[in-house]
Amino acid sequence: MPTEPGLRDRKKQRTRTQIAEAAFGLFAERGFDAVPVAEIARAAEVSVATVFNYFHTKEALVYSWMESFEAELLAAIGDRPAKVSVIDAFRDVAVRPRGLLASEDPAGLDRIATIARIIRGSATLQAREREIFDQTTSKLAALIAEQSGTDDVFAPWVVANALVGVHRAMKDYLHSQLLAGRRDKKLTDDLLAHGTHALDVLERGLTRAEVTSGTAGPTTRRRGAVRGGRAD
């Protein structure tokens, strides 16, 4: 049965949120690269050391959600039941509304759009994002190889790279749509439909017909194409 967080945990969460909100406001106003950590600390009324106690790098002030996603994804795939495929475990984590995207508050999309603008304006953040995607791919490939017991050097990485590529494509699509000014309620549905279709393509296997037929819409969900890094 879930229990309420204790006073210390609530205070730590408030401090973390306070730091994150101070950073977000400054980054939105002046850009990521123009704001030193010392200024974030002053705005949040904490020390620089405290900022780094909660966020191990300045980039983590923007990308801590990606690290949380990685942990959730690896846990879902690592702990999945034997009959659940890698693709379906990935689907259950990646192709569903989460965080601000799941909120009914229209301001959530505005905030994601601001984050997208901050990232687009910083080569440092873009480089860090690529590092995180690469790190997630490597960890996922190692997990798939371990679970499948395969000696194949390439197959687990190919599977992991394809799956992380779907997540990356979804993120890029969402950010590009928001930066273009889109805010309609159908955006989330379109995003999830594209993600589902991409996973269906992987599940069926890549064929010449798949990339030349012009099929771009969502298709019926199928289960079980990849188990432990091997195609059925």
Side-chain angles (χ1 to χ4, degrees):
M1 182 175 180
T3 57
E4 289 293 324
L7 177 60
R8 182 175 179 178
D9 288 337
R10 293 198 301 272
K11 288 179 66 176
K12 288 175 69 174
Q13 185 55 52
R14 281 198 299 270
T15 300
R16 183 181 178 85
T17 301
Q18 186 176 321
I19 294 168
E21 287 301 309
F24 176 79
L26 291 168
F27 294 158
E29 181 182 351
R30 302 205 332 258
F32 177 84
D33 297 315
V35 179
V37 173
E39 186 172 350
I40 296 168
R42 287 196 298 272
E45 299 183 336
V46 298
S47 67
V48 170
T50 298
V51 173
F52 285 121
N53 282 341
Y54 285 87
F55 299 91
H56 56 284
T57 65
K58 182 183 174 185
E59 290 80 8
L61 287 158
V62 176
Y63 282 131
S64 59
W65 69 270
M66 288 186 72
E67 296 170 359
S68 298
F69 173 83
E70 177 188 278
E72 183 180 354
L73 174 64
L74 294 174
I77 291 178
D79 299 337
R80 74 189 192 283
K83 293 184 179 180
V84 175
S85 71
V86 171
I87 282 184
D88 282 327
F90 181 90
R91 191 194 308 264
D92 290 341
V93 174
V95 189
R96 63 178 172 82
R98 58 194 309 111
L100 293 171
L101 200 59
S103 172
E104 295 295 327
D105 185 356
L109 292 180
D110 289 331
R111 188 178 180 95
I112 299 173
T114 300
I115 293 169
R117 177 172 57 80
I118 292 168
I119 294 170
R120 178 170 288 188
S122 170
T124 301
L125 286 176
Q126 292 168 32
R128 178 56 184 148
E129 182 176 290
R130 290 191 293 271
E131 289 176 356
I132 294 172
F133 279 125
D134 287 347
Q135 170 185 288
T136 301
T137 300
S138 296
K139 290 182 179 180
L140 180 55
L143 178 60
I144 291 171
E146 178 185 354
Q147 288 186 327
S148 65
T150 181
D151 292 328
D152 192 320
V153 176
F154 289 163
W157 186 89
V158 169
V159 173
N161 192 59
L163 292 174
V164 174
V166 172
H167 174 54
R168 187 171 190 171
M170 291 177 67
K171 190 276 304 177
D172 288 346
Y173 174 83
L174 176 62
H175 283 197
S176 66
Q177 293 291 301
L178 291 172
L179 289 172
R182 187 174 175 186
R183 296 292 189 278
D184 59 275
K185 293 182 179 180
K186 191 172 177 289
L187 175 57
T188 299
D189 292 338
D190 288 347
L191 174 69
L192 300 182
H194 284 304
T196 296
H197 175 64
L199 290 175
D200 287 344
V201 170
L202 294 179
E203 199 167 29
R204 287 192 297 274
L206 301 178
T207 65
R208 181 173 177 79
E210 190 66 54
V211 296
T212 59
S213 65
T215 9
T219 56
T220 305
R221 175 172 174 171
R222 297 171 64 241
R223 304 183 69 90
V226 177
R227 300 188 186 280
R230 291 191 297 269
D232 287 346

